[in-house]
Amino acid sequence: ACFAFSGALTDLAAAPVPMPKPEQPGSSERLPEPLFFKIATGSPGGTYFPIGTAIAAIVSHPIGSERCREDADVCGPLGMQAVAQNSDGSVRNILAVNDAAVASGLAQSNLVAEAVTGSGAFRMEGPQEDIRVIARLYPEAVHLVVAARSDIADPTGLKGRSISVDRDGSGTQEYAMKILRAFGLRPADLDLVELEALEAADLVYTDDLDGFFFVGGAPVPAIEQLSGIGSARVVPIAGAALDALAADSPYLEATTIPAGTYRNTEDIDTVGVHAVWIVNANVSEDRVYDITRALWNEANRDILAGSHPAAGAVTPEAAIVNLPAPLHPGAERFYRDAGLFEVPPGAGAAAETDGATLPEPVAPAAGEAEPDDMAN
């Protein structure tokens, strides 16, 4: 089940999203201590890291910042120091956010949905009950990258080849293994290795690896570099073999990497999901409200869009569509205040999935630190 809201979306193309003014402390009030807010991302060679870095810059509000002093609406909560942290990818990010090892992170929508129900990649861990959504962000494409010299034309041609499926704990590895099975390949049929994108790209360049999988918003920097020097190409992932995969993965959708995204390429048919920004349920409602407001402030648009071409697809209108988990109450309140949908208070936190109502967020006990304070 998805957590889309049935309330009518408002057409805001002609008017900016209203941004409520935050209250600023008076000159005699004690300023807050800096709060470190980690955003778990991914490999530096992918898309999560540059986009996560841009988001961290947007929501940070260091005391004395000229940017925030001129207009506090463009920043997050006073004293916040947000940091983008590279990681092994979606699965690790989801577990870390649920366990409050980090306050927030980027992850694939399909894996967030599995985490909420304790299925798929989370069968062993069980339901991740403290996952909430700030926003659905941008589409991600599954890339199957092979050496330019190879004769591999589709996934069936990977038999007997050396292929990286990314690191354990990455969303890429989860999908790579599903795609291999969909095309009738077993792990024993290939020489599988677990490398992050930059390492895999280096080995393809030196002819020490036949190819690799990677899920990311196109163009992926590591793949763009390889393609640009004529060392690699992206193979289509399409056909009837994907029907069973799509039936098992409701957030998977057919997509196309447009011609020219990578050097000398036509349209490339593949499959993809959406990246979502998740946060631990116990981060305070006011804090997430301020973070969400800063994310969508029009003055920050250039920072976000300049981080990576995929960020051009990020809009507040699309941020609440087809959600794989409930909105955090702070994010929900912002979207209601901005007029983006009509939903009764608390509906995001109490949304249902597969007949089971998710738990309401639990406020930290007195004296207990919130997840962002613990992520030092």
Side-chain angles (χ1 to χ4, degrees), residues 39 41 47-60 67 74-76 82-85 106 137-138 277 291 294-296 299-309 311-312 314:
I39 304 172
T41 60
T47 51
Y48 281 2
F49 188 74
I51 290 177
T53 298
I55 292 174
I58 287 169
V59 304
S60 288
R67 173 174 173 266
V74 304
C75 301
V83 178
Q85 175 178 291
L106 303 182
L137 298 175
Y138 59 90
W277 186 12
I291 289 169
L295 176 67
W296 299 121
N300 292 323
R301 183 67 189 168
D302 289 345
I303 298 175
L304 190 59
S307 65
H308 188 276
V314 176

Side-chain angles (χ1 to χ4, degrees), residues 41-133:
T41 60
S43 164
T47 51
Y48 281 2
F49 188 74
I51 290 177
T53 298
I55 292 174
I58 287 169
V59 304
S60 288
H61 191 159
I63 296 169
S65 165
E66 288 295 330
R67 173 174 173 266
C68 302
R69 182 182 297 130
E70 292 175 3
D71 182 1
D73 284 6
V74 304
C75 301
L78 182 63
M80 175 171 284
Q81 300 276 4
V83 178
Q85 175 178 291
N86 60 19
S87 79
D88 288 338
S90 290
V91 175
R92 300 290 189 196
N93 293 353
I94 291 166
L95 292 172
V97 170
N98 188 76
D99 293 342
V102 296
S104 73
L106 303 182
Q108 294 172 201
S109 56
N110 63 303
L111 292 173
V112 175
E114 290 179 2
V116 169
T117 59
S119 60
F122 300 89
R123 286 190 299 272
M124 297 296 293
E125 292 83 1
Q128 304 298 293
E129 298 180 344
D130 284 334
I131 296 296
R132 299 293 182 267
V133 174

